[in-house]
Amino acid sequence: SVCMRWGIWPSLKMWFHVSLSGIYLIPVASLIFMEQYLYGKTGKTSIILFVVDLLAYLSNLLTDGWMVPAPNPVYTEKGVQFVYEGIGIQAAIPYIGYVGVFVYFILFLRKAVKNGLLRKKEYYVVITGKTLLLLGNLFINIPSLSGIPIDMAMGIPDAFSIMLLVCMSSKFRTYRE
């Protein structure tokens, strides 16, 4: 999203779609990472979710933004602002999918805690990071926050939460010794 805001080559539309891929693919990629991290394999549900998310992303990309169209830049004396036109109820589809994967992710992690694969403090670290990322991706749609890359800003604590999880993990301590 920073590349889009800065107008970096090749185009605003291309960087918009790269940025939008995060809303579609990061939640399920996080789920797949945690499955691999905890169980050493990826579940069928995650693979199905990944394929569905990928198809939704590609359908948006190939239809030139049917669900979420690219914004139009409006240049003012204050700088550039992005105006989203033609957004309908279908724009909620990726966010509904995001929240659905997020709820599944929480249930998956709770099961891992119950099975002793994840400690409660590790669970809270991961959930805090993922919640901040979700809020960042939802808050980016608030008009008063436009221009602030809050989606990216919330991605930083999410990345730190995963790094902290790995450092706190008994698996990591075993590998270091």
Side-chain angles (χ1 to χ4, degrees), residues 55-81:
L55 289 174
Y57 171 70
L58 290 174
S59 73
N60 190 66
L61 178 70
L62 297 174
T63 59
D64 202 25
W66 171 77
M67 283 183 257
V68 184
N72 297 316
V74 175
Y75 299 95
T76 65
E77 58 277 350
K78 293 181 179 180
V80 67
Q81 292 186 345

Side-chain angles (χ1 to χ4, degrees), residues 28 31-32 35 42-51 104:
V28 73
L31 176 63
I32 290 170
E35 285 180 333
T42 302
K44 290 177 188 171
T45 303
S46 298
I47 293 170
I48 292 168
L49 288 172
F50 180 77
V51 170
Y104 182 79

Side-chain angles (χ1 to χ4, degrees), residues 90-177:
Q90 71 275 15
I93 293 171
Y95 292 100
I96 291 168
Y98 192 132
V99 171
V101 171
F102 181 74
V103 169
Y104 182 79
F105 188 77
I106 290 172
L107 296 173
F108 168 78
L109 290 180
R110 291 181 65 127
K111 183 179 174 186
V113 169
K114 198 183 212 182
N115 292 338
L117 295 169
L118 194 66
R119 295 180 301 210
K120 278 194 176 191
K121 62 183 177 180
E122 294 169 331
Y123 167 81
Y124 290 121
V125 165
V126 174
I127 291 301
T128 300
K130 295 302 171 200
T131 302
L132 289 173
L133 185 63
L134 173 66
L135 292 175
N137 281 311
L138 293 175
F139 288 169
I140 195 76
N141 297 303
I142 298 173
S144 61
L145 295 176
S146 67
I148 301 170
I150 194 164
D151 53 340
M152 280 187 20
M154 294 301 191
I156 293 168
D158 178 47
F160 280 122
S161 74
I162 296 300
M163 287 174 31
L164 185 59
L165 167 73
V166 171
C167 290
M168 291 169 57
S169 170
S170 59
K171 291 179 183 181
F172 183 71
R173 285 192 296 276
T174 303
Y175 293 134
R176 286 188 308 188
E177 294 171 352

Side-chain angles (χ1 to χ4, degrees), residues 17-28:
H17 286 294
V18 168
S19 175
L20 196 60
S21 69
I23 293 173
Y24 286 96
L25 301 173
I26 285 178
V28 73

